[in-house]
Amino acid sequence: MATRSPVSRFFASVQPTDIANMAVEEEENTPGLVVGRRGGREVQMTGTAELSAAPDTARVCFRVTSSKGAAAEARGSVQRRLEYIAQSLRQRGVTDENMTISKEMKRTANTYQMEAEVNVIFKDFEKLQDICNMLVEKLDHSVCISSPQFYHSPENIEKLRREVCLHAVSNARRKAQEVCCIVRQSLGKALVIREEEIKELEDQTESNCAPCSIQQKIKSGTIHAASKVYATFEIKGKERNKKNY
């Protein structure tokens, strides 16, 4: 998974119990110190992060056709190539659950036309390229191979959402720790963590080449996610210098 450097923004507040009705606030994006009459002492943060994920799944269609005067001849011609394609796929680790085979017979004026398609789902893009290259070499023009269609599985999207949220929380806690160090406080446990915003955008890069390469297709299918979280952390108390005797 390709990543962008996480970006974080934060707002901090500290509420000691021994001082009341005093407040100093800074604009968002900079640390702010708030002193009030609350019963607890806490520091509040917003953290953001951005991550990206390339497609993890691709679909390719292998198509074979035959036109003959007799239906049996057309069917036999297609069936031989179809069996060779399916056998080649299985030998290279493609399971039957990732293959869908469809057949159709058409009658024209004086011929029978048999068509068959093998739709295959790939998770391994290197294997996809090897198989396509091999079938083009072995079957030449007797097979038509579609351009790969790359997309994201639901699991890939969910993984991206989790990771970008965790990065945002980590950024919020890191900044809270830095603020506490500056004001000589000790950061405690998280009291509140809330994801306020999650955005997903597809790569906007446009390519003028036709057709695009596999790497360019993967790049154009990349999804970028941004997360913003709000977190409140407990403040334990002021740090005290230890004297060495």
Side-chain angles (χ1 to χ4, degrees):
M1 174 180 291
T3 62
R4 293 182 175 182
S5 299
V7 180
S8 64
R9 299 187 308 166
F10 58 88
F11 172 81
S13 67
V14 181
Q15 289 102 3
T17 57
D18 56 343
I19 305 178
N21 299 324
M22 297 176 61
V24 180
E25 298 184 1
E26 300 288 343
E27 296 180 358
E28 189 178 5
N29 301 330
T30 61
L33 177 66
V34 177
V35 182
R37 301 186 63 178
R38 288 187 176 183
R41 290 149 44 87
E42 61 188 35
V43 58
Q44 302 170 351
M45 288 288 168
T46 60
T48 64
E50 295 181 8
L51 294 176
S52 60
D56 67 327
T57 311
R59 180 185 293 108
V60 178
C61 176
F62 303 92
R63 182 171 175 266
V64 292
T65 63
S66 179
S67 296
K68 302 289 184 179
E73 292 180 0
R75 185 183 303 109
S77 176
V78 167
Q79 187 63 29
R80 287 191 296 272
R81 285 173 285 163
L82 194 60
E83 290 175 355
Y84 180 81
I85 292 172
Q87 181 182 8
S88 298
L89 290 168
R90 293 187 183 103
Q91 288 176 344
R92 287 161 177 78
V94 178
T95 61
D96 288 344
E97 65 181 7
N98 288 323
M99 283 192 288
T100 303
I101 300 175
S102 59
K103 305 175 185 178
E104 183 180 8
M105 176 74 77
K106 296 180 181 180
R107 176 76 163 122
T108 59
N110 299 313
T111 61
Y112 290 90
Q113 182 175 345
M114 182 72 180
E115 297 181 354
E117 291 183 351
V118 184
N119 286 281
V120 186
I121 302 299
F122 289 95
K123 292 289 188 179
D124 186 334
F125 298 162
E126 184 176 347
K127 181 186 295 184
L128 178 156
Q129 295 179 76
D130 290 341
I131 290 175
C132 290
N133 292 338
M134 183 274 298
L135 290 176
V136 168
E137 180 181 350
K138 297 295 184 181
L139 298 178
D140 197 18
H141 295 294
S142 65
V143 62
C144 179
I145 303 177
S146 70
S147 178
Q149 296 180 338
F150 295 94
Y151 61 96
H152 296 262
S153 66
E155 295 79 12
N156 199 42
I157 296 292
E158 183 59 29
K159 180 181 178 182
L160 175 63
R161 291 170 178 168
R162 289 198 307 270
E163 290 186 352
V164 73
C165 179
L166 292 176
H167 275 73
V169 172
S170 178
N171 288 338
R173 180 171 182 81
R174 178 173 57 83
K175 290 300 182 180
Q177 182 69 62
E178 292 176 358
V179 170
C180 284
C181 287
I182 291 174
V183 295
R184 301 185 63 78
Q185 302 289 318
S186 179
L187 187 67
K189 64 183 179 180
L191 302 176
V192 176
I193 298 177
R194 181 176 66 249
E195 186 174 42
E196 296 188 324
E197 189 176 61
I198 178 73
K199 292 182 179 179
E200 295 169 16
L201 297 173
E202 291 187 359
D203 197 292
Q204 300 299 313
T205 303
E206 295 183 0
S207 177
N208 296 323
C209 67
C212 293
S213 68
I214 286 181
Q215 292 302 319
Q216 289 168 329
K217 285 180 175 292
I218 293 174
K219 179 176 175 57
S220 65
T222 297
I223 288 182
H224 306 280
S227 175
K228 178 181 179 180
V229 300
Y230 165 85
T232 300
F233 299 94
E234 177 187 44
I235 295 179
K236 293 181 179 180
K238 292 184 179 180
E239 296 181 350
R240 294 180 180 178
N241 294 327
K242 295 181 179 180
K243 296 181 179 180
N244 296 323
Y245 295 96

